[in-house]
Amino acid sequence: MATVSLSSSKPVSLKVDALVVGVAKVKGGGFVVLPGGEEVDKALKGRIAETVAAMGNLGNPNEVSKLSSLGATTAPIIVAVCLGKAVDAGRGRPSYGPEVLRRATGAAARALAGTAKVGLALPAGTPAEVAAVSEGALLGAYAFRTYRVTSTERNRPPVEAFTLVTDAPRDKANKAAVERAHTVVDAVHLARDWVNIPPVDLPPAELASRAAAAAKAAGVAVEVLDEKALKKAGYGGTLAVGMGSSRPPRMVKLTYTAGRGKPHLALVGKGITFDSGGLSLKPSTAMEWMKSDMGGAAAIIAATTAIARLGLDVNVTAWAPMAENMPSGTAQRPSDVITIYGGTTVEVMNTDAEGRLVLADGIVRASEDKPDVLIDVATLTGAQLVALGARTSGVMANDAALRTAIVAAAESSGEQMWPMPLPVELRTAMESTVADISNMGDRYGGMLTAGLFLKEFVGEGIRWAHLDIAGPSFNDAAPHGYTPKGGTGHAVRTLVRLAEDLAAGDVPEA
Ligand code: BES
Ligand code: MN
Ligand code: ZN
């Protein structure tokens, strides 16, 4: 992964391949150069603003203009990235939120792929700005190149090293912000990589062994249940979904122990390594993204490694049921009845509603330990995309304060999540004629029905939330800000922030 180091050197004399400065659009046309870029602008005779306009920059957020320094700085290239409209924060100083800064830095980092060393002459006057710029740079410096063989020239490698210029490079809070950014973004990249790996190479056993390796490297205890162990313990949801595949299911359990008396966070993540729909086969276009159906498992596992590396004061138990949902002569059939871990029976009316079956196993098992908070994360429904679009996850919960805390953690970490209800009337349509519950419900409100289904499996009195990340976990469209095409690592940053909030006692009871 790329690195960020802090320096108080003058940006103009940094030995780098390119320098990034920020600009903002001002009322009445024109640009201003943002704090951090003054020196560079002076070296260019105060002409960055007019040059950016002349180069055709329209002033949209994340719009990048590459300029030649013409020898005015050691770096041959200046990249001016626009943060959008300059909002006056008083005394003529422009203001911008952390996410604006994060995205713009990420866009600059992406535009500089193929460049080894980059100086960042961006706003970095506070630890919050140092954090935002560091995170944006590292998140933007990502490429999944494992399968590039003869096309490496056309796919340029990400930036290797950023030097972030700040007045206080030895300030404790600034240094901590950079270190945290490395740890968190490392985890985000891990989740992105796992989603991007082609499903042929990531059957449940492979995902489980990669999870185990990542956990061990972070000092997290691991237990992997194979198909025999799953059978013995009665994980009927995971087994049923996995039985159509020649590659058997797994359950991964991670345990990070911070110490007695600390809050206990349980995580459950959907790990469908490929979702064909099973016998309720998806149309082929709907399968195009389905290697991302383990995005929830990737997020909770990656987040747990980051939480451990940061040494947060919260005990974490993470459960990731993993299965490949395939049609075959051994696959489960629509109208089969299966038994979830703990005994509840489910009539499987549609084998494509498989996520809730594996999650039910995980949620019941996680509940046995009576965690203070239980969160499941899943690419669960197409209805999430219909309701909230491709970039905003739905947050459902049996506890309003927890739901609010998660949405707030998402907001502060730069992920888009929004509260959604669990209307009880949707439960009626899940009545089964033969089993305790059906895995299908009403025609409308599919995201909420899936949430209500999961709620049935949460242990008595446990504060629980469900994140439907179907759209946000995979970027099918063009890259934007610090977000690449493909796996996004969505939910990792929110989970780490929530763990920090839990450790600090900042997640109030309802
Ligand atoms: N993995 C899909 C949900 C999904 C859809 C994720 C699009 C990412 C993008 C899930 O297993 C699924 O197939 N859900 C069905 C449920 C339905 C059969 C009740 C859906 O949303 O159509
Ligand atoms: Mn499905
Ligand atoms: Zn699925």
Side-chain angles (χ1 to χ4, degrees):
M1 195 180 79
T3 56
V4 171
S5 46
L6 295 174
S7 165
S8 54
S9 305
K10 288 197 187 314
V12 290
S13 48
L14 278 183
K15 290 195 184 68
V16 290
D17 305 306
L19 277 174
V20 178
V21 300
V23 297
K25 183 107 172 151
V26 288
K27 269 208 197 96
F31 288 86
V32 285
V33 176
L34 295 178
E38 303 94 338
E39 284 266 346
V40 181
D41 194 35
K42 207 184 280 170
L44 280 120
K45 305 207 167 69
R47 294 178 64 178
I48 287 181
E50 65 185 77
T51 310
V52 163
M55 293 296 284
N57 195 309
L58 296 175
N60 298 312
N62 310 334
E63 203 175 328
V64 161
S65 296
K66 279 190 188 175
L67 317 172
S68 168
S69 73
L70 296 172
T73 64
T74 306
I77 294 167
I78 311 287
V79 164
V81 62
C82 186
L83 277 72
K85 281 198 192 105
V87 181
D88 196 355
R91 281 186 247 131
R93 283 178 305 124
S95 86
Y96 23 73
E99 179 62 1
V100 170
L101 205 47
R102 219 182 263 125
R103 288 186 186 185
T105 311
R110 278 197 303 102
L112 283 164
T115 311
K117 290 186 181 159
V118 171
L120 301 170
L122 287 164
T126 65
E129 288 177 335
V130 168
V133 171
S134 303
E135 288 168 20
L138 295 171
L139 287 165
Y142 174 82
F144 181 69
R145 294 164 57 83
T146 314
Y147 293 81
R148 295 257 172 208
V149 178
T150 59
S151 63
T152 50
E153 294 279 301
R154 273 177 286 137
N155 180 271
R156 284 169 299 180
V159 174
E160 287 162 23
F162 296 96
T163 305
L164 173 53
V165 178
T166 171
D167 289 340
R170 267 169 285 282
D171 177 78
K172 259 201 185 143
N174 283 341
K175 282 167 73 172
V178 174
E179 198 174 308
R180 181 185 183 280
H182 279 110
T183 306
V184 174
V185 176
D186 210 8
V188 171
H189 286 189
L190 184 68
R192 287 176 177 178
D193 281 349
W194 288 351
V195 166
N196 287 331
I197 294 171
V200 64
D201 287 341
L202 200 72
E206 175 64 21
L207 180 56
S209 81
R210 283 175 186 255
K216 277 179 200 148
V220 172
V222 195
E223 199 184 321
V224 178
L225 304 187
D226 64 10
E227 66 273 30
K228 260 190 167 161
L230 287 172
K231 212 162 277 170
K232 194 159 171 227
Y235 288 100
T238 310
L239 285 164
V241 173
M243 77 195 212
S245 172
S246 58
R247 310 189 294 176
R250 293 288 183 266
M251 173 75 83
V252 171
K253 177 194 183 186
L254 305 186
T255 312
Y256 163 61
T257 311
R260 280 176 54 179
K262 312 269 164 68
H264 180 192
L265 171 63
L267 300 172
V268 179
K270 173 178 173 182
I272 300 300
T273 60
F274 184 72
D275 182 11
S276 71
L279 285 177
S280 310
L281 195 64
K282 286 180 184 297
S284 53
T285 49
M287 271 184 227
E288 283 168 8
W289 297 21
M290 286 306 125
K291 68 171 181 176
S292 69
D293 216 19
M294 30 58 70
I300 63 144
I301 292 162
T304 303
T305 66
I307 290 165
R309 284 216 159 93
L310 294 168
L312 300 185
D313 280 335
V314 48
N315 295 310
V316 180
T317 316
W319 299 90
M322 299 169 180
E324 187 174 41
N325 190 22
M326 296 292 269
S328 76
T330 60
Q332 65 171 336
R333 308 146 192 82
S335 75
D336 275 354
V337 173
I338 65 171
T339 304
I340 301 299
Y341 181 90
T344 299
T345 58
V346 179
E347 187 182 15
V348 180
M349 293 307 288
N350 187 322
T351 63
D352 197 12
E354 85 297 341
R356 63 200 76 184
L357 306 177
V358 306
L359 289 168
D361 275 346
I363 288 171
V364 176
R365 178 58 192 88
S367 294
E368 285 183 352
D369 303 334
K370 305 225 172 306
D372 297 302
V373 170
L374 196 170
I375 302 176
D376 77 77
V377 185
T379 49
L380 205 58
T381 65
Q384 176 278 318
L385 282 131
V386 176
L388 292 168
R391 297 191 194 172
T392 304
S393 291
V395 184
M396 288 139 275
N398 64 3
D399 179 301
L402 175 61
R403 190 180 60 213
T404 302
I406 291 170
V407 172
E411 164 79 32
S412 73
S413 49
E415 293 185 320
Q416 291 164 248
M417 296 195 185
W418 203 248
M420 282 285 153
L422 292 170
V424 286
E425 66 272 17
L426 292 175
R427 176 65 180 81
T428 327
M430 285 191 279
E431 285 298 343
S432 161
T433 35
V434 295
D436 296 327
I437 190 168
S438 155
N439 77 334
M440 285 292 285
D442 212 85
R443 224 153 80 88
Y444 301 114
M447 167 169 57
L448 317 180
T449 294
L452 268 178
F453 179 95
L454 297 178
K455 188 176 171 216
E456 302 262 323
F457 296 89
V458 178
E460 192 64 34
I462 296 174
R463 305 174 77 193
W464 157 80
H466 159 57
L467 312 187
D468 193 335
I469 63 166
S473 73
F474 194 83
N475 178 22
D476 192 35
H480 55 87
Y482 50 72
T483 306
K485 207 167 155 68
T488 61
H490 181 83
V492 171
R493 289 182 289 147
T494 298
L495 291 172
V496 173
R497 177 56 54 86
L498 188 84
E500 288 170 336
D501 293 345
L502 270 171
D506 282 347
V507 182
E509 306 265 339

